[in-house]
Amino acid sequence: MRLDGQRIKHGHTQAQIGSIITMPRGNDVIVFELLHIPNRRGPAREAAGHYNLINI
């Protein structure tokens, strides 16, 4: 995974609103922008409102 172009080495790396996150999924790469930081971990439908998918 990458956060704003930098490889994430630790799971506790802090993301901020506006951060660009890049991650592999099978043979593809997913890129998305963080729009909001949720107060809690919730269902997928709720989580989808916190990011903007840039490409798949």
Coordinates of all heavy atoms in Angstrom, one line a residue:
M1 N 0.8 -1.2 0.0 CA 0.0 0.0 0.0 C 0.9 1.2 0.0 O 2.0 1.2 0.5 CB -0.9 0.0 1.2 CG -2.0 -1.0 1.2 SD -3.1 -0.9 2.7 CE -3.8 0.6 2.4
R2 N 0.3 2.3 -0.5 CA 1.0 3.6 -0.5 C 0.0 4.7 0.0 O -1.2 4.6 -0.3 CB 1.5 4.0 -1.9 CG 2.6 3.0 -2.4 CD 3.1 3.5 -3.8 NE 4.2 2.6 -4.2 CZ 5.4 2.7 -3.9 NH1 5.8 3.7 -3.1 NH2 6.3 1.9 -4.3
L3 N 0.6 5.6 0.7 CA -0.1 6.8 1.2 C 0.6 8.0 0.7 O 1.7 8.2 1.0 CB -0.1 6.8 2.7 CG -0.8 8.0 3.4 CD1 -2.3 8.0 3.1 CD2 -0.6 7.9 4.9
D4 N -0.2 8.7 -0.2 CA 0.4 9.9 -0.8 C 1.7 9.6 -1.5 O 2.7 10.4 -1.4 CB 0.6 11.1 0.2 CG -0.8 11.6 0.7 OD1 -1.8 11.5 -0.1 OD2 -0.8 12.0 1.9
G5 N 1.8 8.5 -2.2 CA 3.0 8.1 -3.0 C 4.1 7.4 -2.2 O 5.0 6.9 -2.8
Q6 N 4.0 7.4 -0.9 CA 5.0 6.8 0.0 C 4.5 5.4 0.5 O 3.4 5.2 0.9 CB 5.3 7.6 1.2 CG 5.8 9.0 0.9 CD 7.1 9.0 0.2 OE1 8.0 8.3 0.6 NE2 7.3 9.8 -0.9
R7 N 5.4 4.4 0.4 CA 5.1 3.1 0.8 C 4.8 3.0 2.3 O 5.5 3.6 3.1 CB 6.3 2.1 0.5 CG 6.0 0.7 0.9 CD 7.1 -0.2 0.3 NE 6.8 -1.6 0.7 CZ 7.6 -2.3 1.4 NH1 8.8 -1.8 1.8 NH2 7.3 -3.5 1.8
I8 N 3.7 2.4 2.7 CA 3.3 2.3 4.1 C 4.1 1.1 4.7 O 3.9 0.0 4.2 CB 1.8 2.1 4.2 CG1 1.0 3.3 3.7 CG2 1.4 1.8 5.7 CD1 -0.5 3.1 3.7
K9 N 4.9 1.4 5.7 CA 5.7 0.4 6.3 C 5.1 -0.1 7.6 O 5.4 -1.2 8.1 CB 7.1 0.9 6.6 CG 7.8 1.2 5.3 CD 9.2 1.7 5.6 CE 9.9 2.2 4.3 NZ 11.2 2.7 4.5
H10 N 4.2 0.7 8.2 CA 3.6 0.3 9.5 C 2.1 0.5 9.4 O 1.6 1.5 8.8 CB 4.1 1.2 10.6 CG 5.6 1.2 10.7 ND1 6.3 0.1 11.2 CD2 6.5 2.1 10.3 CE1 7.6 0.4 11.2 NE2 7.8 1.6 10.6
G11 N 1.3 -0.4 10.1 CA -0.1 -0.3 10.1 C -0.7 0.9 10.8 O -1.8 1.3 10.5
H12 N 0.1 1.5 11.6 CA -0.4 2.7 12.4 C -0.1 4.0 11.7 O -0.3 5.1 12.3 CB 0.1 2.7 13.8 CG 1.6 2.8 13.8 ND1 2.4 1.7 13.8 CD2 2.5 3.9 13.9 CE1 3.7 2.1 13.8 NE2 3.7 3.4 13.9
T13 N 0.3 4.0 10.4 CA 0.6 5.2 9.7 C -0.7 6.1 9.6 O -1.8 5.6 9.2 CB 1.1 4.9 8.3 OG1 2.3 4.1 8.4 CG2 1.4 6.2 7.5
Q14 N -0.6 7.4 9.9 CA -1.7 8.3 9.9 C -2.1 8.8 8.5 O -1.2 9.3 7.8 CB -1.5 9.4 10.9 CG -1.3 9.1 12.3 CD -2.6 8.7 12.9 OE1 -3.6 9.3 12.7 NE2 -2.6 7.6 13.7
A15 N -3.4 8.7 8.2 CA -3.9 9.3 7.0 C -4.6 10.5 7.3 O -5.1 10.7 8.5 CB -4.8 8.3 6.2
Q16 N -4.8 11.5 6.4 CA -5.5 12.7 6.7 C -6.5 12.9 5.6 O -6.4 12.3 4.5 CB -4.5 13.9 6.6 CG -3.4 13.8 7.6 CD -2.4 15.0 7.4 OE1 -2.8 16.1 7.0 NE2 -1.2 14.8 7.8
I17 N -7.5 13.8 5.8 CA -8.5 14.1 4.8 C -7.7 14.6 3.6 O -6.8 15.4 3.7 CB -9.5 15.1 5.3 CG1 -10.3 14.5 6.4 CG2 -10.4 15.6 4.2 CD1 -11.2 15.4 7.2
G18 N -8.0 14.1 2.4 CA -7.3 14.5 1.2 C -6.2 13.5 0.8 O -5.6 13.6 -0.3
S19 N -5.9 12.6 1.7 CA -4.8 11.6 1.4 C -5.2 10.7 0.2 O -6.4 10.4 0.1 CB -4.5 10.7 2.6 OG -3.9 11.4 3.6
I20 N -4.2 10.4 -0.6 CA -4.4 9.5 -1.7 C -3.8 8.1 -1.3 O -2.7 8.0 -0.9 CB -3.7 9.9 -3.0 CG1 -4.3 11.3 -3.4 CG2 -3.9 8.9 -4.1 CD1 -5.7 11.4 -3.7
I21 N -4.7 7.1 -1.3 CA -4.3 5.7 -0.9 C -4.3 4.8 -2.1 O -5.2 4.8 -2.9 CB -5.2 5.2 0.2 CG1 -5.1 6.2 1.4 CG2 -4.8 3.8 0.6 CD1 -6.1 5.9 2.4
T22 N -3.2 4.1 -2.4 CA -3.0 3.2 -3.5 C -2.8 1.8 -2.9 O -2.0 1.6 -2.0 CB -1.8 3.6 -4.3 OG1 -2.0 5.0 -4.7 CG2 -1.7 2.8 -5.6
M23 N -3.6 0.8 -3.4 CA -3.4 -0.5 -2.9 C -3.7 -1.5 -4.0 O -4.5 -1.3 -4.9 CB -4.4 -0.8 -1.7 CG -5.8 -0.5 -2.0 SD -6.8 -0.6 -0.5 CE -6.9 -2.3 -0.2
P24 N -3.0 -2.7 -4.0 CA -3.2 -3.7 -5.0 C -4.4 -4.5 -4.6 O -4.8 -4.7 -3.5 CB -1.9 -4.6 -4.8 CG -1.5 -4.4 -3.4 CD -1.9 -3.0 -3.1
R25 N -5.1 -5.0 -5.7 CA -6.2 -5.9 -5.5 C -6.2 -6.9 -6.7 O -6.5 -6.6 -7.8 CB -7.5 -5.2 -5.5 CG -8.7 -6.1 -5.2 CD -10.0 -5.4 -4.9 NE -10.7 -5.3 -6.1 CZ -11.9 -4.7 -6.2 NH1 -12.4 -4.1 -5.1 NH2 -12.6 -4.7 -7.3
G26 N -5.6 -8.1 -6.4 CA -5.4 -9.1 -7.5 C -4.4 -8.5 -8.5 O -3.3 -8.1 -8.1
N27 N -4.8 -8.5 -9.7 CA -3.9 -7.9 -10.8 C -4.1 -6.5 -11.0 O -3.5 -5.9 -11.9 CB -4.1 -8.7 -12.1 CG -3.6 -10.1 -12.0 OD1 -2.7 -10.4 -11.2 ND2 -4.2 -11.0 -12.7
D28 N -5.0 -5.9 -10.3 CA -5.4 -4.5 -10.4 C -4.8 -3.6 -9.3 O -4.2 -4.1 -8.3 CB -6.9 -4.3 -10.4 CG -7.5 -5.0 -11.6 OD1 -7.0 -5.0 -12.7 OD2 -8.6 -5.5 -11.4
V29 N -4.9 -2.3 -9.5 CA -4.5 -1.3 -8.4 C -5.7 -0.4 -8.2 O -6.3 0.1 -9.1 CB -3.3 -0.5 -8.9 CG1 -2.9 0.6 -7.9 CG2 -2.1 -1.4 -9.1
I30 N -6.0 -0.2 -6.9 CA -7.1 0.7 -6.6 C -6.5 2.0 -6.0 O -5.6 1.9 -5.2 CB -8.0 0.0 -5.5 CG1 -8.6 -1.2 -6.0 CG2 -9.1 1.0 -5.0 CD1 -9.4 -2.0 -5.0
V31 N -7.0 3.1 -6.5 CA -6.5 4.4 -6.0 C -7.8 5.2 -5.5 O -8.8 5.3 -6.2 CB -5.8 5.2 -7.1 CG1 -5.3 6.6 -6.6 CG2 -4.7 4.4 -7.7
F32 N -7.7 5.7 -4.3 CA -8.8 6.5 -3.8 C -8.4 7.6 -2.9 O -7.2 7.6 -2.4 CB -9.9 5.6 -3.1 CG -9.4 4.8 -1.9 CD1 -9.5 5.3 -0.6 CD2 -8.8 3.6 -2.1 CE1 -9.0 4.6 0.5 CE2 -8.3 2.8 -1.0 CZ -8.4 3.3 0.3
E33 N -9.2 8.6 -2.8 CA -8.9 9.8 -2.0 C -9.8 9.7 -0.7 O -11.0 9.4 -0.8 CB -9.3 11.0 -2.7 CG -9.1 12.3 -1.9 CD -9.6 13.5 -2.7 OE1 -10.2 13.4 -3.7 OE2 -9.3 14.6 -2.2
L34 N -9.2 10.0 0.4 CA -9.9 10.0 1.7 C -10.7 11.3 1.9 O -10.1 12.4 1.9 CB -8.9 9.8 2.9 CG -9.5 9.6 4.2 CD1 -10.4 8.4 4.3 CD2 -8.4 9.5 5.2
L35 N -12.0 11.2 2.0 CA -12.8 12.4 2.1 C -13.1 12.8 3.5 O -13.2 14.0 3.8 CB -14.1 12.2 1.3 CG -14.0 11.9 -0.2 CD1 -15.4 11.7 -0.8 CD2 -13.3 13.1 -0.9
H36 N -13.3 11.8 4.3 CA -13.7 12.0 5.7 C -13.0 10.9 6.6 O -12.8 9.9 6.1 CB -15.2 11.9 6.0 CG -16.0 12.8 5.1 ND1 -16.2 14.1 5.3 CD2 -16.7 12.5 3.9 CE1 -17.0 14.6 4.4 NE2 -17.3 13.7 3.5
I37 N -12.8 11.2 7.8 CA -12.3 10.2 8.7 C -13.5 9.8 9.6 O -14.0 10.6 10.4 CB -11.1 10.7 9.5 CG1 -10.0 11.0 8.5 CG2 -10.7 9.6 10.6 CD1 -8.7 11.5 9.1
P38 N -13.9 8.5 9.5 CA -15.1 8.1 10.3 C -14.8 8.1 11.8 O -13.6 7.9 12.2 CB -15.4 6.7 9.8 CG -14.1 6.3 9.2 CD -13.4 7.5 8.7
N39 N -15.8 8.3 12.6 CA -15.7 8.2 14.1 C -15.6 6.8 14.6 O -15.1 6.5 15.7 CB -16.9 8.9 14.8 CG -16.8 10.4 14.5 OD1 -15.8 11.0 14.4 ND2 -18.0 11.0 14.4
R40 N -16.1 5.8 13.8 CA -16.1 4.4 14.2 C -16.0 3.6 12.9 O -16.2 4.0 11.8 CB -17.4 4.1 14.9 CG -18.7 4.2 14.0 CD -20.0 3.9 14.7 NE -21.1 3.9 13.8 CZ -21.5 2.8 13.2 NH1 -21.0 1.7 13.4 NH2 -22.6 2.9 12.4
R41 N -15.7 2.3 13.1 CA -15.7 1.4 12.0 C -17.1 0.9 11.9 O -17.7 0.3 12.8 CB -14.8 0.2 12.4 CG -14.6 -0.8 11.3 CD -13.7 -1.9 11.6 NE -13.6 -2.8 10.5 CZ -12.7 -3.7 10.4 NH1 -11.7 -3.8 11.3 NH2 -12.7 -4.6 9.4
G42 N -17.7 1.1 10.7 CA -19.0 0.7 10.4 C -19.2 -0.2 9.2 O -18.2 -0.7 8.7
P43 N -20.4 -0.3 8.8 CA -20.7 -1.2 7.6 C -20.1 -0.6 6.3 O -19.9 0.6 6.2 CB -22.2 -1.3 7.6 CG -22.7 -0.1 8.3 CD -21.6 0.2 9.3
A44 N -20.0 -1.4 5.3 CA -19.4 -1.0 4.0 C -20.2 0.1 3.4 O -19.6 1.1 2.9 CB -19.4 -2.2 3.1
R45 N -21.5 0.1 3.5 CA -22.3 1.2 2.9 C -21.9 2.6 3.5 O -21.8 3.6 2.8 CB -23.8 0.9 3.1 CG -24.6 2.0 2.5 CD -26.1 1.6 2.5 NE -26.2 0.7 1.4 CZ -27.4 0.2 1.0 NH1 -28.5 0.4 1.7 NH2 -27.5 -0.6 0.0
E46 N -21.7 2.6 4.8 CA -21.4 3.8 5.5 C -19.9 4.2 5.2 O -19.6 5.4 4.9 CB -21.5 3.6 7.0 CG -21.2 4.8 7.9 CD -21.4 4.4 9.3 OE1 -22.4 3.9 9.7 OE2 -20.5 4.8 10.1
A47 N -19.0 3.2 5.1 CA -17.6 3.5 4.8 C -17.5 4.1 3.4 O -16.6 4.9 3.2 CB -16.8 2.2 4.9
A48 N -18.3 3.7 2.4 CA -18.2 4.2 1.1 C -18.4 5.7 1.0 O -17.9 6.3 0.0 CB -19.2 3.4 0.2
G49 N -19.0 6.3 1.9 CA -19.2 7.7 1.9 C -18.0 8.5 2.4 O -18.0 9.7 2.3
H50 N -16.9 7.8 2.8 CA -15.8 8.4 3.3 C -14.6 8.5 2.3 O -13.5 9.0 2.7 CB -15.3 7.7 4.6 CG -16.3 7.8 5.7 ND1 -16.5 9.0 6.4 CD2 -17.2 7.0 6.2 CE1 -17.4 8.8 7.3 NE2 -17.9 7.6 7.2
Y51 N -14.8 8.0 1.1 CA -13.7 8.0 0.2 C -14.3 8.2 -1.2 O -15.4 8.0 -1.5 CB -12.9 6.7 0.2 CG -13.6 5.4 -0.1 CD1 -13.7 5.0 -1.5 CD2 -14.2 4.7 0.8 CE1 -14.4 3.9 -1.8 CE2 -14.9 3.5 0.5 CZ -15.0 3.1 -0.8 OH -15.6 2.0 -1.1
N52 N -13.4 8.7 -2.1 CA -13.7 8.8 -3.5 C -12.8 7.9 -4.4 O -11.6 8.1 -4.3 CB -13.5 10.3 -3.9 CG -13.9 10.6 -5.4 OD1 -14.7 9.9 -5.9 ND2 -13.1 11.5 -6.0
L53 N -13.4 7.0 -5.0 CA -12.6 6.1 -5.9 C -12.1 6.8 -7.1 O -12.9 7.4 -7.8 CB -13.5 4.9 -6.3 CG -12.9 3.5 -6.5 CD1 -12.0 3.1 -5.4 CD2 -14.0 2.5 -6.7
I54 N -10.8 6.8 -7.3 CA -10.2 7.5 -8.4 C -10.1 6.6 -9.6 O -10.4 6.9 -10.8 CB -8.9 8.1 -8.1 CG1 -9.1 9.2 -7.0 CG2 -8.2 8.7 -9.3 CD1 -7.8 9.7 -6.4
N55 N -9.6 5.3 -9.4 CA -9.6 4.3 -10.5 C -9.6 2.9 -9.9 O -9.3 2.7 -8.7 CB -8.4 4.5 -11.4 CG -7.1 3.9 -10.8 OD1 -6.9 3.9 -9.6 ND2 -6.3 3.5 -11.7
I56 N -9.9 2.0 -10.7 CA -9.8 0.6 -10.3 C -9.0 -0.2 -11.3 O -9.2 0.0 -12.5 CB -11.3 -0.1 -10.2 CG1 -12.1 0.6 -9.1 CG2 -11.2 -1.6 -9.9 CD1 -13.4 0.1 -8.9

